[in-house]
Amino acid sequence: MEPSVDKKPVVLHYNSRYLPLTENWIHSILRHHKTFQPVFITRKIQNLHLFPLPEVYALENLNRVIQIVQLIFSKLAGYIPFFYSISKKSAASVLHVHFGYQGVKLIGLKKKTGLPMVCSFYGDDAFHYPLKGGVVKQYQKLFTEADRILVLGPYMKNHLITLGCNEKKISIHHLGIDAGTVAFKPRQRKPGEPVRFMTSCSLLEKKGVGIAIRALAALKDNYAFTLDLVGDGPLRESLQHLAVQLGVADRLTWHGYQPYSFVIEKMYQCDVLIQASITTPDNRKEGTPVAIMDAMATGMAVVATRHSDIPEIVEEDITGLLAEENDVVSLQACFQKILDNPELIGKFGSHGRGKVEREFNVAVLTQQLEAHYQEVIAGQVRK
């Protein structure tokens, strides 16, 4: 690919892979740039057919010997020459690195190019990764070198401050969805019809899916419900065994990983999204799961936990219900409230759609992101 000749200033994005299915929100940002031209540098390309972008430059596309030479050079100089050459050919104005641990790796490129750097934190990179040996010192160097650190909410902001980041460098910047492409469909249920619950997440410990299954199973004798699970992961087999053990296997449907279009269509067929996130023993946490925004945009109610910055999205008794994390009884009470009062589904769904349009619309949020770029280019620090 030839570098862009567009007259817009170029923002050089980086993530080590372009682009995992579970990081589709990055593509939403790229698609909604208006005043900046996005160019993406990465080590490996995957799912380009699902996340098309005119200018994606991958180290893996170079001759294998050249790749090895580039990596050896980077160990000595602190940056990969191929990425530096793209920054020069594209005349980049600003560098935006996705995930804190990737930001650490791009400090050398930032210094070599002299570009201002924005680094976005999303979840595990803020909470789990710093537990590894030496990472806090690496992050403190990142906090010094980066011009702006973007976080998903006040919980994450406060955590990075405890790790040593200057509060003046941190700005809260929400993830968002393209609400204009997701139609709002009020949920209508016939009398006696089961309430249709859904999860849309990787089957990892921090997602709390096992706790959700236990909470629903406690209600199986007195209520009609189903649960659709979209997503996959290392816990799938154990979760399926749990469902059998608890006597609810016949109410659960496992869909595995699916494209975004399938997820949205399944959301239209369901009533309530479950996001039962927990903090794991090794401090893995969520940021603000985009699945919640998608669900609210379609008109679903949400039952989630008071975990990390999830309360930034789910407002208690307005857009959904919040349970204590890792608490089966608390989550069961939320489910029971929905099952006893199914009219809440319509109320929460309507309010949720409004909140997404106001606060989590990626088109508006990308304009705000570009304002961050303009500020760091101008050398401004937010007060």
Side-chain angles (χ1 to χ4, degrees):
M1 298 180 221
E2 290 298 321
S4 173
V5 295
D6 199 302
K7 298 300 182 183
K8 297 176 183 177
V10 168
V11 51
L12 192 66
H13 288 268
Y14 176 80
N15 191 21
S16 62
R17 293 180 295 166
Y18 183 92
L19 192 63
L21 291 174
T22 54
E23 296 170 14
N24 61 314
W25 74 84
I26 294 177
H27 188 244
S28 293
I29 295 169
L30 299 170
R31 289 191 301 108
H32 284 86
H33 276 306
K34 297 297 183 185
T35 60
F36 280 79
Q37 175 71 22
V39 173
F40 212 101
I41 54 174
T42 186
R43 291 198 175 204
K44 295 183 178 181
I45 291 179
Q46 59 187 94
N47 302 313
L48 187 59
H49 64 294
L50 296 176
F51 305 121
L53 188 72
E55 295 188 61
V56 181
Y57 300 95
L59 182 65
E60 70 172 354
N61 288 340
L62 301 181
N63 175 280
R64 180 61 180 165
V65 174
I66 295 176
Q67 289 183 51
I68 294 172
V69 172
Q70 294 257 335
L71 292 172
I72 292 173
F73 181 91
S74 72
K75 297 292 185 182
L76 301 172
Y79 67 93
I80 293 176
F82 174 66
F83 294 157
Y84 175 71
S85 69
I86 297 301
S87 74
K88 290 302 180 183
K89 290 178 182 178
S90 63
S93 297
V94 61
L95 176 63
H96 186 171
V97 186
H98 299 274
F99 297 97
Y101 44 77
Q102 306 293 1
V104 169
K105 298 174 183 177
L106 269 285
I107 290 173
L109 182 65
K110 192 261 190 205
K111 288 183 173 181
K112 177 64 177 177
T113 61
L115 293 174
M117 182 168 78
V118 174
C119 184
S120 292
F121 282 75
Y122 295 113
D124 274 353
D125 53 341
F127 303 114
H128 168 72
Y129 194 72
L131 297 181
K132 298 183 178 182
V135 170
V136 172
K137 286 187 177 180
Q138 292 175 356
Y139 270 11
Q140 289 171 349
K141 185 176 181 181
L142 171 64
F143 298 151
T144 298
E145 297 294 339
D147 298 272
R148 184 146 305 164
I149 301 293
L150 300 182
V151 297
L152 300 181
Y155 184 92
M156 187 180 290
K157 176 181 178 179
N158 290 335
H159 183 68
L160 291 193
I161 291 172
T162 67
L163 294 180
C165 190
N166 185 338
E167 183 177 1
K168 290 183 178 180
K169 282 195 173 184
I170 306 176
S171 291
I172 294 173
H173 181 77
H174 292 139
L175 295 178
I177 65 166
D178 190 351
T181 65
V182 180
F184 171 65
K185 296 183 180 180
R187 298 305 187 267
Q188 297 179 344
R189 297 177 59 258
K190 298 176 182 178
E193 188 176 36
V195 172
R196 300 158 298 183
F197 292 92
M198 176 180 172
T199 62
S200 179
C201 61
S202 297
L203 301 180
L204 303 171
E205 184 181 7
K206 71 177 181 179
K207 299 297 183 178
V209 176
I211 295 166
I213 292 173
R214 290 182 184 278
L216 282 173
L219 301 168
K220 66 182 173 63
D221 293 335
N222 298 310
Y223 296 94
F225 62 82
T226 61
L227 173 61
D228 283 83
L229 301 100
V230 180
D232 215 328
L235 297 185
R236 177 167 178 164
E237 185 175 348
S238 63
L239 290 170
Q240 289 175 326
H241 286 317
L242 177 65
V244 172
Q245 179 185 349
L246 296 175
V248 291
D250 60 332
R251 304 202 193 191
L252 275 56
T253 303
W254 305 80
H255 299 281
Y257 283 127
Q258 296 292 340
Y260 182 70
S261 58
F262 178 96
V263 174
I264 295 298
E265 189 56 39
K266 183 56 62 177
M267 285 179 171
Y268 286 133
Q269 298 169 13
C270 295
D271 304 305
V272 182
L273 182 82
I274 301 171
Q275 189 72 50
S277 304
I278 65 171
T279 301
T280 66
D282 58 352
N283 209 41
R284 293 188 182 274
K285 298 176 187 274
E286 301 277 13
T288 50
V290 175
I292 297 177
M293 304 168 201
D294 285 324
M296 288 165 55
T298 70
M300 293 182 80
V302 179
V303 173
T305 49
R306 293 184 181 89
H307 169 88
S308 192
D309 282 306
I310 287 177
E312 284 281 284
I313 318 173
V314 183
E315 296 180 86
E316 180 74 47
D317 281 323
I318 297 176
T319 63
L321 299 175
L322 290 168
E324 299 306 319
E325 68 171 86
N326 213 5
D327 188 331
V328 172
V329 174
S330 179
L331 195 59
Q332 176 186 334
C334 290
F335 293 154
Q336 188 167 352
K337 185 172 182 178
I338 292 281
L339 291 163
D340 285 336
N341 305 277
E343 69 277 4
L344 290 175
I345 295 170
K347 170 192 167 183
F348 293 158
S350 177
H351 290 166
R353 173 68 188 201
K355 187 173 180 69
V356 168
E357 290 178 347
R358 292 189 307 272
E359 301 178 33
F360 298 96
N361 186 333
V362 71
V364 175
L365 290 168
T366 304
Q367 291 178 15
Q368 296 171 6
L369 178 62
E370 292 181 335
H372 285 295
Y373 296 161
Q374 295 285 11
E375 288 178 3
V376 298
I377 290 170
Q380 299 175 16
V381 177
R382 289 206 159 179
K383 304 298 183 184

